[in-house]
Amino acid sequence: MGLLIEEPSATPPGRLSCRRTPWLHWLKWIVLGLLVTGFARQCISLYLNNSSLQPVGPLEGPMSVLPRVTETCRPHTHLMFLKTHKTASSTVINMLYRFGEEHGLRFALPFAYLLGYPFTFNIHRIKGYHGNRAAKYDIMANHLRFNKDEVQKVLHKDTFYFSILREPLSLAKSSFAYFKDICPTFRKAGSLGAFADSPGSFHKAHLRNSHYARNLLWFDFGMDPNANVTQEQLLKGLAMIRKNFKLIMLSEYFDQSMVLLRHALCWPLDAVVSFTLNKAHYRQPKGGEEDGFDLRQPVVDVSLTPAQREKLLEWNALDWHLYQAFNRSFWEDVRRFGPERMDQEVALLRARRDQLARVCLRNGGKPVEAQHIGNEDVRPYQCGSVRILGYELQPGLDNATTEACLRLIRPEVQYKNLLDAKQFPRSQPYVRNPPTKLDVNGEIEPC
């Protein structure tokens, strides 16, 4: 029997016949699929690295020691912060200024330092506003008296509204110390205790700047601080705030507030790390020096007896009910977030702050009086009888680290001037040395 002779294959030289080797046919498609998948992944990675889905990276230089937390959500860049008075809001606005500057966002800036405050906000208080055809603003954060109808005209529909509250007695002490010289009610009383004994005998609601003396939070949210305290009034006010604001923070729990805000905005850790700004020193003088501060200068008396505290809470009843309601809401938010998870994130935030303080700040990170700060760009201006403290940078920092640290400690006035000069380069020069006192009766932020 002879050998079986196959017909010559029609496959061109150098190519394998799929008919003769079917496994090679499938191998070819598998390899091709892997190549296409790899190429697709590379394209997606390139897109994400160049899109706003990427969170802000950590600060440069020696500040990048802690691990970066990878976010899977999209960072919010449309923000409205109602900057309430004496609530650590200057520290929050520094955070917003930093984020906006780093991302090239557009701010709704005032002509000077206030968006028409203490008058109810209207859009013509925004510098550079040219009517309804103007582009929307990304961030609104300077002091204003809330007016949702006007605010929403110049903000994006997906804007995240948030604010911060402070316990009313603590707020009253700070407000009295800061605004005593410009608030006729406080000026007439002389001391906070004397005012608390009989607030109605000092208060004249029709006088300019009298709003600092009663229910200041209620006023900042756009409501009547002298309204009768009724169930209907309270429910209406609380409903308005809940409807318009997605997060209400508490200054007494600032770190926990920053954790909630960070996750609500999908921001990286460094975006919410901050040092306390606009910090005041106003204890009563006890003679000589105490804690490194010269207390021989006049200091405001904000001491209160238990009876005076009760009277002052009654005087600020609208703020007290407001604070109690959102204190409960705040801890409900913490419970939903997870108490153990919150403790872990607060610890991480504080560790990062301590690390940055060691890198950035002189004197162990302790705040110092303004006259001891040589750099005018970070020297806080002074207000009334209190002394506003600031920070000094560590010497010998490299340029990138110096700039990153300056952003963290730059006071609100100087930072606003810097952003103003960037956003309106032809309108006015950047004022490097703001006045030591600012006139509250003009368009100037009082304190």
Side-chain angles (χ1 to χ4, degrees), residues 47-48 51-56 68-77 99 103 259-269 337 341:
Y47 168 75
L48 292 179
S51 73
S52 58
L53 289 174
Q54 286 294 309
V56 188
R68 176 175 173 177
V69 178
T70 302
E71 307 290 355
T72 58
C73 48
R74 190 181 188 91
H76 279 275
T77 57
F99 185 86
H103 288 74
V259 171
L260 292 178
L261 181 66
R262 167 172 125 72
H263 284 273
L265 299 182
C266 191
W267 282 11
L269 178 64
F337 186 82
R341 180 187 176 199

Side-chain angles (χ1 to χ4, degrees), residues 76-264:
H76 279 275
T77 57
H78 300 152
L79 310 164
M80 193 281 159
F81 174 57
L82 180 61
K83 189 178 186 294
T84 50
H85 283 80
K86 319 320 309 165
T87 56
S89 60
S90 292
T91 304
V92 178
I93 202 174
N94 170 270
M95 176 190 73
L96 297 175
Y97 280 167
R98 281 158 33 205
F99 185 86
E101 182 188 14
E102 291 167 2
H103 288 74
L105 302 180
R106 189 175 184 223
F107 289 88
L109 295 174
F111 287 94
Y113 297 96
L114 302 174
L115 286 167
Y117 192 89
F119 303 106
T120 302
F121 173 75
N122 72 73
I123 52 181
H124 298 287
R125 296 293 187 173
I126 301 174
K127 184 174 182 179
Y129 176 74
H130 298 299
N132 294 332
R133 290 178 295 177
K136 302 292 185 181
Y137 296 92
D138 299 314
I139 297 179
M140 178 180 285
N142 291 83
H143 273 309
L144 59 82
R145 191 175 183 206
F146 189 64
N147 179 357
K148 178 61 179 296
D149 290 340
E150 287 288 290
V151 165
Q152 65 184 359
K153 291 178 182 179
V154 293
L155 297 179
H156 299 272
K157 290 183 179 180
D158 65 344
T159 294
F160 185 92
Y161 289 72
F162 67 108
S163 189
I164 186 169
L165 305 179
R166 183 176 180 179
E167 188 276 319
L169 281 179
S170 178
L171 174 63
K173 289 183 177 183
S174 183
S175 181
F176 186 89
Y178 274 85
F179 303 125
K180 179 178 180 292
D181 294 338
I182 63 171
C183 175
T185 302
F186 288 156
R187 189 167 58 242
K188 187 177 179 181
S191 71
L192 183 60
F195 170 70
D197 283 332
S198 182
S201 63
F202 297 107
H203 189 59
K204 300 293 185 289
H206 67 280
L207 296 180
R208 184 177 175 86
N209 299 325
S210 63
H211 66 280
Y212 290 115
R214 189 177 194 187
N215 294 312
L216 183 53
L217 294 172
W218 199 263
F219 180 88
D220 285 351
F221 276 94
M223 298 176 287
D224 181 6
N226 298 295
N228 292 328
V229 184
T230 64
Q231 187 76 359
E232 181 183 2
Q233 188 72 237
L234 291 168
L235 291 176
K236 182 180 177 181
L238 296 176
M240 184 279 292
I241 297 173
R242 289 194 175 103
K243 177 182 177 181
N244 293 312
F245 291 84
K246 296 182 179 179
L247 177 64
I248 299 293
M249 306 180 295
L250 302 179
S251 64
E252 291 82 7
Y253 303 98
F254 190 82
D255 290 344
Q256 291 85 348
S257 296
M258 290 299 101
V259 171
L260 292 178
L261 181 66
R262 167 172 125 72
H263 284 273

Side-chain angles (χ1 to χ4, degrees), residues 173 191-194 284 300-305 308:
K173 289 183 177 183
S191 71
L192 183 60
Q284 287 185 281
V300 179
D301 183 1
V302 294
S303 59
L304 293 169
T305 66
Q308 289 169 340

Side-chain angles (χ1 to χ4, degrees), residues 389-437:
L389 309 178
Y391 301 94
E392 279 194 298
L393 287 183
Q394 285 277 24
L397 300 176
D398 60 71
N399 291 339
T401 304
T402 296
E403 182 54 37
C405 292
L406 279 174
R407 288 195 182 107
L408 285 163
I409 65 172
R410 184 174 283 125
E412 180 182 342
V413 170
Q414 289 96 316
Y415 217 145
K416 184 269 171 185
N417 289 338
L418 175 63
L419 295 174
D420 195 305
K422 287 185 175 183
Q423 197 160 308
F424 305 99
R426 298 181 182 179
S427 63
Q428 63 181 27
Y430 167 40
V431 182
R432 292 192 58 84
N433 188 19
T436 55
K437 288 188 177 182

